[in-house]
């Protein structure tokens, strides 16, 4: 007879904890997190709900609706805090545009002050306005910076922003991509988005120049060559990766753990809520490592600036 551990691993592997709604959710199972169907060989929702969680990569008012949507998912999966941003994904990223995006996040923070932690967005092309926006938003309680593909993370235009983040002990979450190589040739950027999309080598370059800075490489599970990404950033301890994304291959977290260590991984969803939780439960992690990835690692970053969760 298979052990409970083997049954659990097989379940998560077969279900992929992915787009089909791995956990199916307590609503779809017609049971509360404390209840399980009689046929279940593994108390899935009990395992889900026993860990404190900070979702280190989430958005509001992009594609999936307002903050009420995020809170609904968070409630079902026991996510205590959501770190939310609204980057400029269309247009030139003017100061008017990024201020408007940040105002959405500030409204979400007011609606759910005990659940939502805000990250501001900016565009380093507008240096003066970006620095002013950092002050405006952090004065209102935002805890970090989220940037998109207007400027690469290692571009000199970014230096003043990185230096301000160092001074204020703010983590910088940067949209990233790493295309799969084809025929021995590795693509230099994400062609369907912008040549300014940051790739792992750009992160390594910025981290080497600013070892005091804290960088978060976005959505490792969002597709592309996550093995190359982990290897490229391995020797830079000030680069952290979040586990969000909808294309979470079975051994991604195990590979990241081996190459980056247990202190450099953040739990994140980027709106792939069940995949985000399920991927960590399916990985070959100890209880201590689960707790670090779900909650403690990100909270340790927040603690550096006195913004941590009690």
């Amino acid at each position: 007879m298979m052990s409970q551990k083997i049954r659990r691993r097989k379940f998560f592997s077969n279900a992929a904890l992915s787009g089909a709604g791995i956990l199916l959710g307590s609503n779809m199972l017609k049971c509360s997190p404390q209840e399980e169907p009689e046929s279940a060989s593994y108390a899935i929702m009990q395992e889900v709900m026993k860990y404190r969680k900070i979702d280190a990569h989430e958005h509001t008012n992009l594609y999936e609706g307002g903050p009420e949507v995020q809170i609904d998912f968070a409630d079902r999966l026991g996510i205590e805090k959501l770190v939310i941003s609204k980057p400029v994904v269309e247009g030139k990223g003017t100061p008017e545009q990024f201020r408007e995006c940040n105002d959405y996040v500030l409204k979400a923070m007011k609606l759910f002050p005990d659940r939502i932690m805000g990250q501001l967005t900016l565009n380093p092309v507008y240096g003066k306005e970006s620095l002013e926006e950092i002050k405006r938003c952090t004065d209102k309680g935002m805890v970090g910076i989220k940037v998109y593909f207007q400027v690469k993370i290692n571009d000199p235009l970014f230096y003043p922003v990185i230096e301000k983040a160092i001074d204020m002990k703010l983590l910088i979450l940067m949209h990233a991509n790493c295309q799969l190589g084809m025929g021995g040739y590795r693509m230099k950027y994400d062609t369907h988005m912008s040549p300014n999309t940051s790739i792992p080598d750009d992160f390594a370059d910025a981290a080497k120049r600013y070892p005091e800075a804290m960088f978060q490489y976005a959505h490792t599970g969002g597709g592309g060559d996550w093995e190359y990404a982990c290897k490229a950033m391995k020797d830079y301890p000030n680069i952290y990766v979040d586990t969000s994304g909808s294309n979470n291959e079975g051994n991604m977290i195990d590979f990241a753990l081996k190459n980056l260590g247990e202190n450099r991984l953040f739990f994140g969803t980027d709106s792939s809520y069940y995949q985000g939780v399920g991927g960590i439960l399916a990985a070959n992690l100890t209880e201590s490592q689960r707790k670090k990835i779900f909650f403690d690692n990100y909270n340790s970053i927040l603690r550096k600036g006195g913004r941590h969760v009690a």
Side-chain angles (χ1 to χ4, degrees):
M1 180 181 294
M2 291 188 296
S3 68
Q4 183 179 12
K5 179 177 180 181
I6 294 174
R7 287 200 305 272
R8 179 180 67 194
R9 295 277 293 166
K10 183 176 181 181
F11 172 84
F12 283 132
S13 176
N14 290 346
L17 302 180
S18 62
I22 57 119
L23 304 174
L24 299 181
S26 56
N27 287 352
M28 295 177 68
L29 284 173
K30 303 299 182 183
C31 62
S32 71
Q34 289 74 35
E35 299 171 345
E36 292 294 323
E38 292 182 4
S39 61
S41 62
Y42 174 53
I44 301 169
M45 293 309 297
Q46 288 183 21
E47 183 110 351
V48 168
M49 301 301 284
K50 77 179 184 180
Y51 298 101
R52 297 185 75 185
K53 304 178 193 72
I54 299 174
D55 185 342
H57 186 152
E58 189 47 73
H59 303 296
T60 188
N61 294 88
L62 279 181
Y63 312 112
E64 70 282 359
E68 297 83 2
V69 175
Q70 285 78 33
I71 294 298
D72 180 43
F73 277 107
D75 287 343
R76 286 187 249 169
L77 294 170
I79 301 172
E80 186 173 336
K81 300 286 184 178
L82 295 155
V83 184
I84 281 183
S85 65
K86 187 182 189 300
V88 179
V89 298
E90 297 179 355
K92 296 181 179 180
T94 64
E96 292 76 19
Q97 287 176 316
F98 62 68
R99 289 184 193 119
E100 182 180 6
C101 286
N102 292 332
D103 285 341
Y104 275 108
V105 177
L106 289 168
K107 289 177 183 177
M109 292 166 60
K110 288 181 179 179
L111 281 173
F112 300 99
D114 297 327
R115 305 293 298 281
I116 288 178
M117 308 178 84
Q119 285 182 321
L120 65 104
T121 196
L122 49 80
N123 182 355
V125 169
Y126 304 96
K128 178 176 178 291
E129 293 87 347
S130 291
L131 295 179
E132 290 172 348
E133 190 66 354
I134 292 174
K135 183 179 189 311
R136 179 179 85 96
C137 293
T138 54
D139 283 351
K140 294 178 180 291
M142 290 200 188
V143 301
I145 299 171
K146 158 66 176 176
V147 276
Y148 211 50
F149 58 60
Q150 284 81 14
V151 177
K152 279 179 172 283
I153 191 71
N154 62 336
D155 190 296
L157 286 171
F158 238 115
Y159 294 170
V161 171
I162 295 173
E163 289 163 8
K164 175 59 70 172
I166 292 171
D167 291 342
M168 300 186 69
K169 297 181 172 59
L170 295 170
L171 179 70
I172 299 175
L173 166 58
M174 169 61 102
H175 174 81
N177 193 70
C178 183
Q179 291 278 22
L180 291 167
M182 298 180 65
Y185 172 73
R186 178 168 300 284
M187 300 175 74
K188 295 294 184 182
Y189 49 82
D190 184 351
T191 53
H192 79 278
M193 301 191 86
S194 166
N196 287 332
T197 300
S198 295
I199 61 175
D201 307 85
D202 300 326
F203 277 78
D205 187 45
K208 183 177 180 180
R209 181 180 180 88
Y210 290 106
E212 320 95 311
M214 298 180 291
F215 301 102
Q216 179 179 338
Y217 181 89
H219 41 64
T220 312
D225 196 340
W226 46 264
E227 287 191 355
Y228 179 82
C230 291
K231 291 176 181 177
M233 300 183 296
K234 180 177 181 179
D235 296 328
Y236 301 94
N238 56 330
I239 302 176
Y240 302 82
V241 303
D242 70 61
T243 61
S244 69
S246 58
N247 301 314
N248 303 47
E249 295 185 43
N251 66 328
M252 182 194 77
I253 292 175
D254 301 85
F255 188 89
L257 180 72
K258 178 180 178 181
N259 284 271
L260 302 174
E262 62 186 37
N263 297 320
R264 292 171 60 189
L265 306 184
F266 299 151
F267 161 65
T269 67
D270 196 9
S271 300
S272 296
Y273 301 95
Y274 296 117
Q275 297 94 320
V277 174
I280 293 173
L281 295 182
N284 187 27
L285 302 173
T286 66
E287 282 292 294
S288 174
Q289 289 167 341
R290 285 184 179 183
K291 290 176 181 177
K292 282 188 174 185
I293 296 171
F294 270 134
F295 186 89
D296 293 340
N297 288 344
Y298 197 85
N299 206 34
S300 293
I301 297 298
L302 295 175
R303 184 173 284 108
K304 294 177 185 294
R307 305 175 182 94
H308 58 285
V309 181

